[in-house]
Amino acid sequence: MPIYEYRCADCGATFEALVRASRVVTCPQCGGSSLDKLLSAPTLLSGRTARPSGSTCCGRDERCEAPPCSDGGTCRRG
């Protein structure tokens, strides 16, 4: 099931939605159904890791020992 990114024409909110065949997508902010589907670039991963290097919460190559890498939006490494 694909995840699409939308922009609401009524309130301007942008959001992502997991779209199933029978699901009608509405804006989570205002409930509007006048939506524009946005063009999103896919994320591609290759190699042995599921996360590209340098993309931890603090930008380091290695991950923290215990997930999540960050707690409360701040890096635990300081």
Side-chain angles (χ1 to χ4, degrees):
M1 289 168 273
I3 297 176
Y4 292 108
E5 189 173 7
Y6 293 94
R7 179 180 299 121
C8 179
D10 297 331
C11 71
T14 57
F15 62 95
E16 293 178 343
L18 177 66
V19 179
R20 295 186 170 111
S22 62
R23 181 173 178 210
V24 176
V25 180
T26 58
C27 176
Q29 296 286 338
C30 70
S33 60
S34 180
L35 306 173
D36 297 317
K37 192 182 293 185
L38 302 177
L39 181 62
S40 300
T43 300
L44 302 175
L45 301 175
S46 62
R48 290 189 286 161
T49 180
R51 180 182 286 274
S53 65
S55 65
T56 62
C57 62
C58 57
R60 294 186 183 179
D61 291 336
E62 72 278 357
R63 303 221 355 124
C64 293
E65 267 122 62
C69 192
S70 64
D71 186 22
T74 60
C75 181
R76 289 192 280 171
R77 293 182 183 172

